[in-house]
Amino acid sequence: MSVAALLTRSWRRVSGCWAPGAGIRRLSSIADPEIKVCVLGSGPAGFYTAQHLLKHHKSTVVDIYEKLPIPFGLVRFGVAPDHPEVKNVINVFTQTAHLSRCSFYGNVTVGKDVSIEELKQAYHVLVLSYGAETNRILGIPGENLPGVYSGRAFVGWYNGLPENRNLNPDLSSETAVIVGHGNVALDLARILLSPIDLLKKTDITANSLEAIENSKVKRVIIVGRRGPLQVAFTIKELREMIKLPGTRSLLDPNDFEGLRHVVKDLPRPRKRLMELLIKTALESNAGKEAEFQAAATKEWSLRFQRSPLEIIPSNDGERVGGIRLSVTKLKGSAESAVAIQTEDVEDLECGLVLSSIGYKSHPIDPSVPFDQQQGVIPNKLGRVLHAPGMYCSGWVKRGPAGVIATTMNDSFETAESVLEDVQSGILDVSALKGGYKVIEALLKQRGICPVSFSGWEKIDSSEVTKGEKVGKPREKLLTVKEMLEVANQ
Ligand code: FAD
Ligand code: NAP
């Protein structure tokens, strides 16, 4: 009996999500030939796709390739240091990595150390889960002035991403402007304004902790091109800003007058978010709240309907001195309203600008289709269009939006497409494939030393030990060289 015929499944979609273990009949597979799957990228998308395939098809063998010596993508390099609970997903990924049919090969950049064509020869299935590694740019004059950083680089800096370890942001001025009204913007504001004693207990890197301790920033203005009804951040992150010790929220009542009547008809999450914004902006504080506000030495605010036109240089022309914004008007309604620039401008004086307008994926190899306009690999339910045997999941599949749970759902959807194609016979898995053995020989010729999961566990334990000495969950290694040294001990 063929592998395809043995694969009997009955997945069910429940409210757009995969119900755990929903009616799946396990496959007997002892005599099956292996289906060799190669996953590119070890962030949530890579691990969740691997998990689903390994759980629901006992003949799959999954090799996860990762460009860094360490796994977990944005869970390590994106999620804010003061959100340790979010990082608990690492425990689930670790269980997957420990399965005998799963291997991790870090320090291998696909597209550079090994080509897609070589991987296609070695595996039956390729899953592209390599995320979004760059950021959108504003495309305005002055964007490259010292003192202007992408939010992505700033996040990478405080989270220990090797390429950003030397960012050394200039935090010597009192006012910072963040462009973008997403959750990354709120992460940036919170890290800039958090009391240092809170940050000291997190896994923020030692050098950024020191820089933030000496930072002069005490005012953060978060600028968005649309209005309160169109903000992209969520209520939990807003609440954290409002409750940030030592920091007052300055929301302009004029931005919220007249919105009360709209709120009642909004879908629940946005309704609750709006209610909190309106309450913060319009209701006068009394008692403990008033004391909290009065004692605050730092502040943050939201500026609406302002689109960046230009970064204004400082008087000596050496660095950022401010930002020029176009006042916008909104065309259309609710979340789909579009910001149109008007003739009116506003200048904000500041010494730091963080542009937090979203991440961006890029093509990995000319042989993989890529939609430059949308910044995604064109796909149908994770099947890469016109590329049999290739699948994609995560941010490179659907764009740089969505939390880990969203990424989990779309990764399960992709894994499901793979399993369906095996079952229907669309995916030919009859040929014997060499898998990692073939790639290992190529990497050896090229002088590349992959890091195994146990290599990562040595790095992990070294970081945790270093962290314990200073009361932190871990002290991250900051260079690939150090990571390789520890992994190869
Ligand atoms: P990634 O996590 O980016 O993983 C991609 C992986 O591919 C990386 O490890 C990368 O190194 C690797 N890779 C790239 N190129 C190659 C290559 N050529 N060869 C081999 N490997 C390669 N979600 C939450 O639920 N809670 C949060 O608190 C939260 N905070 C966030 C904070 C920030 C700053 C950001 C940007 C996102 C945050 N998210 C959060 C969203 C969450 O991180 C994403 O939904 C998720 O990480 C996307 O997963 P991914 O696997 O597609 O991409
Ligand atoms: P995002 O949610 O897409 O927000 C991007 C913001 O930038 C939007 O306000 C957008 O405004 C604005 N923007 C885009 N282009 C612009 C331009 N040219 N000029 C001015 N403004 C522009 O992206 P993100 O903040 O990078 O977050 C990415 C994903 O990660 C999101 O899904 C987020 O929820 C998730 N994340 C979650 C957490 C968490 O759960 N704690 C933390 C961080 C990130 P428009 O709406 O007008 O386009």
Side-chain angles (χ1 to χ4, degrees), residues 230-454:
Q230 292 83 25
V231 293
F233 53 73
T234 43
I235 191 159
K236 176 176 167 283
E237 289 63 33
L238 172 65
R239 200 176 288 120
E240 283 177 304
M241 283 308 296
I242 293 168
K243 291 189 178 297
L244 196 60
T247 301
R248 87 176 62 85
S249 310
L250 289 181
L251 301 188
D252 184 347
N254 293 323
D255 291 325
F256 299 91
E257 298 285 2
L259 284 183
R260 278 190 203 273
H261 72 283
V262 183
V263 169
K264 62 181 189 334
D265 299 324
L266 294 173
R268 193 172 145 77
R270 189 161 287 278
K271 182 176 173 207
R272 289 181 57 228
L273 177 74
M274 285 307 301
E275 283 168 351
L276 181 57
L277 280 168
I278 290 172
K279 180 172 177 281
T280 311
L282 298 181
E283 289 179 13
S284 62
N285 295 314
K288 278 205 171 126
E289 194 54 36
E291 280 171 33
F292 175 91
Q293 297 278 341
T297 54
K298 299 178 185 172
E299 64 189 45
W300 74 283
S301 58
L302 290 168
R303 203 91 187 95
F304 295 103
Q305 292 187 232
R306 299 289 186 274
S307 176
L309 285 177
E310 180 187 350
I311 306 290
I312 306 165
S314 54
N315 288 339
D316 60 9
E318 297 286 312
R319 55 184 321 285
V320 54
I323 183 166
R324 177 154 302 157
L325 305 164
S326 162
V327 178
T328 67
K329 58 179 184 190
L330 296 185
K331 193 169 166 212
S333 60
E335 289 185 39
S336 57
V338 179
I340 315 270
Q341 294 185 357
T342 66
E343 301 278 287
D344 295 335
V345 295
E346 179 184 38
D347 289 350
L348 295 179
E349 215 177 288
C350 61
L352 173 68
V353 173
L354 301 178
S355 153
S356 179
I357 60 168
Y359 284 52
K360 195 175 167 199
S361 295
H362 60 92
I364 198 173
D365 184 289
S367 67
V368 181
F370 195 81
D371 180 336
Q372 291 284 2
Q373 193 75 23
Q374 303 292 325
V376 295
I377 295 176
N379 70 89
K380 200 164 180 196
L381 301 176
R383 295 176 180 95
V384 179
L385 297 187
H386 317 300
M390 268 197 227
Y391 299 81
C392 57
S393 61
W395 276 15
V396 76
K397 169 188 176 186
R398 54 168 217 281
V403 292
I404 294 169
T406 332
T407 301
M408 179 186 79
N409 280 322
D410 98 48
S411 303
F412 288 178
E413 178 186 77
T414 295
E416 169 80 347
S417 293
V418 174
L419 296 172
E420 264 177 28
D421 292 353
V422 173
Q423 183 186 29
S424 68
I426 289 175
L427 189 63
D428 181 5
V429 291
S430 58
L432 283 178
K433 294 279 188 173
Y436 181 64
K437 276 208 172 76
V438 175
I439 303 301
E440 186 181 25
L442 293 173
L443 294 175
K444 208 167 181 181
Q445 278 169 23
R446 293 166 194 170
I448 307 294
C449 298
V451 172
S452 64
F453 203 76
S454 60

Side-chain angles (χ1 to χ4, degrees), residues 195-217:
I196 203 72
D197 286 344
L198 292 186
L199 294 180
K200 271 182 182 157
K201 295 178 199 140
T202 72
D203 67 4
I204 192 167
T205 61
N207 59 347
S208 45
L209 186 67
E210 190 186 340
I212 293 169
E213 189 160 19
N214 295 319
S215 162
K216 296 279 180 285
V217 176

Side-chain angles (χ1 to χ4, degrees), residues 115-152:
S115 70
I116 292 288
E117 198 45 50
E118 288 163 342
L119 291 168
K120 268 167 67 181
Q121 296 297 322
Y123 291 88
H124 296 108
V125 176
L126 259 59
V127 183
L128 300 131
S129 312
Y130 61 86
E133 285 234 293
T134 55
N135 51 272
R136 294 188 191 125
I137 55 165
L138 288 166
I140 57 173
E143 196 168 0
N144 296 322
L145 275 173
V148 184
Y149 310 94
S150 72
R152 189 188 62 84

